[in-house]
Amino acid sequence: MSFLLVGVSQNVFYHHKAHKHSCFEVILNLEGSGNIKIGDELSPFYPGSVHLIPPHTLHEKNSEDGFRDIFIQLDSWEDPLYKMEKCRFLTFSDDEEKTIESLLRMMLLRYLRQKKPDAVLFTMCELVMQLSKERYEAKKVDPTVKKIVQQITFSFNDPDFRVSDVLERSGYAKDY
């Protein structure tokens, strides 16, 4: 993977015409909502939504209220998850702490100061991609199961804690 550039929408856009790149693009929506058409598929976007678009894939965005994005472009992404999914794009949401957005903003500041990609930007890009993979995989986890795991983790040292109580409140059977 080689980082190419990072950018941000300075103005609010209502329509971004159909276009494609010869590289991967990771787009995080900063504000506004609407739909992004990627290839022949329509996907919603909203603040914190992330779309990973592969090379040579036509995409366009539309919003009645306007939108702003921050994005990175990279020349390749050799991730087994992406190949395994066999899809034209990946979509997911940033976490509550806005980790991916924060990293993209730091990358933008560094890129503006350095005027060219460097080792630090490359490392930050790898981190964004690893976190993106993690967020994409997280959306497949049942939220109730996630909550149960969190309760067990946070109560690990509590001598009065009983897993059976958590399972009973969740509606899941003990053997599940």
Side-chain angles (χ1 to χ4, degrees):
M1 171 176 52
S2 179
F3 166 78
L4 299 173
L5 89 110
V6 60
V8 65
S9 308
Q10 295 297 321
N11 302 316
V12 173
F13 289 95
Y14 296 89
H15 174 74
H16 200 264
K17 67 179 184 172
H19 65 286
K20 55 185 168 180
H21 309 279
S22 60
C23 57
F24 278 92
E25 184 172 38
V26 179
I27 305 170
L28 183 137
N29 186 261
L30 294 171
E31 60 186 67
S33 59
N35 288 302
I36 182 169
K37 186 175 182 184
I38 305 172
D40 296 330
E41 298 180 50
L42 209 54
S43 177
F45 68 84
Y46 46 85
S49 64
V50 181
H51 290 82
L52 189 145
I53 303 168
H56 311 292
T57 303
L58 200 61
H59 57 284
E60 68 178 297
K61 289 181 82 170
N62 291 294
S63 171
E64 291 182 17
D65 303 322
F67 65 90
R68 287 184 56 243
D69 295 329
I70 189 166
F71 63 90
I72 58 172
Q73 293 180 344
L74 44 145
D75 66 359
S76 65
W77 186 41
E78 298 299 325
D79 188 271
L81 169 75
Y82 182 75
K83 290 179 180 179
M84 184 176 69
E85 292 290 329
K86 295 181 181 160
C87 58
R88 289 189 288 214
F89 66 95
L90 302 180
T91 183
F92 52 92
S93 297
D94 199 357
D95 58 22
E96 292 176 9
E97 295 80 22
K98 299 182 179 185
T99 307
I100 295 173
E101 180 182 331
S102 298
L103 276 166
L104 290 173
R105 287 183 183 277
M106 287 190 297
M107 289 178 72
L108 179 64
L109 289 173
R110 181 155 184 101
Y111 187 74
L112 293 173
R113 285 187 191 123
Q114 297 296 113
K115 306 286 189 226
K116 61 180 179 169
D118 65 0
V120 173
L121 281 167
F122 176 77
T123 302
M124 293 170 85
C125 186
E126 285 183 325
L127 184 55
V128 165
M129 297 311 291
Q130 186 61 39
L131 288 168
S132 294
K133 177 181 172 185
E134 190 177 281
R135 291 299 306 152
Y136 178 75
E137 290 173 336
K139 84 174 197 175
K140 295 179 182 180
V141 175
D142 181 327
T144 304
V145 172
K146 184 177 178 179
K147 187 175 180 179
I148 291 169
V149 170
Q150 286 176 339
Q151 289 174 336
I152 293 169
T153 302
F154 293 135
S155 303
F156 185 71
N157 292 328
D158 181 356
D160 298 325
F161 176 76
R162 293 188 348 209
V163 174
S164 58
D165 293 340
V166 175
L167 291 174
E168 188 176 305
R169 287 191 303 268
S170 73
Y172 280 99
K174 186 178 179 180
D175 59 347
Y176 178 78

